[in-house]
Amino acid sequence: MARQDSADRICSVSVDLDALGCYYRIHALPGAPPEPARFAVLRRCLPRFAELFARHGVRATFFVVGQDLEEDREGRALLADLARAGHELASHTHTHPYDFVRLGAGALADEIDRAHAAIAACAGTPPVGFRAPGYEISADALEVLRARGYRYDSSVFPSASYYGAKAIVMAAMRLTGRKSGSVLGNPRALLAPLRPYRPAARDPYRDGGGSDGLVELPIAVTRGARLPVIGTSLVMAPAWLRRRMVAAALRAPLFNLELHGIDLCDAEADAVPGDLVAHQPDLRRPLAHKLAALEETLAAARGAGAWFATLAEAAGRA
Ligand SMILES: [Zn+2]
């Protein structure tokens, strides 16, 4: 696809390929998903994204968990094909630890380096982009990424309503004696800029100015209310609200649309265990409904004249 340097609006679509095991940890479910659900996100959901993106001319960014490439040869082959087709493979750590920013320096660098090696081997080129698990990044992590030559991070999600909802769910879980594997994160993220910026040396949530070096690409929220414009909210919102949120996101120069692999899960056909479906409301939405919501969103972006670019390309213009 021709590079559209003149486009004044970019839509970058990314998919975090969290396996169903990550959701077991969030909801504190015992054990791990049984086969074949264990690999459902790469083997079942990923091909649906590939088809959807092909229909809309989207080259996307896939945030890959390094360990999954080592454990799932079939999923790895699918991702290698997508990289060859012009999609970007970026790093979502090696094991998706929700306490990533609380790890010691050695373990934190290890998460970045092992994923880096696995993704480089799969894609044929080393990753230049990073997204932390659970939307929390730290100055130390950014330092490691800078030292490794990464061009961007896209972990900052400045949504007060998402933060509030997460705090309530985690408090409710504590009251019922369950401890979520997820971590609430730093509320300073709520004050972060909404546009791409170069983070200050010791504060990932503050614009440090400058015109080169690693760029932070915040995930889309609406201006004002800062409603989250991500896959989960788009498939759960009523159609009128979804359209308004998408229209608002498309007014910014960059619509950084974050999706998750699970957004195109068909709970029944993909054999997702019932206890996970009971805890995860979007799994109870039919696949056709979720697909239609994302289809409409991509069509709206194209209708608004947006250029579909990978996050690496968006970082190059920031
Ligand atoms: Zn994730």
Side-chain angles (χ1 to χ4, degrees), residues 16-19 22-23 26 63 65 92-93 96 98 131-135 258-260:
D16 298 0
L17 293 171
D18 303 18
C22 295
Y23 298 88
I26 288 177
F63 284 99
V65 176
H92 199 30
T93 70
H96 204 274
Y98 283 102
R131 179 169 287 151
Y135 307 112
E258 186 222 23
L259 310 175
H260 282 88

Side-chain angles (χ1 to χ4, degrees), residues 68-82:
D68 294 345
L69 297 174
E70 293 167 356
E71 293 179 354
D72 181 8
R73 291 170 71 110
E74 191 180 322
R76 185 184 192 278
L78 287 168
L79 282 164
D81 283 346
L82 288 169

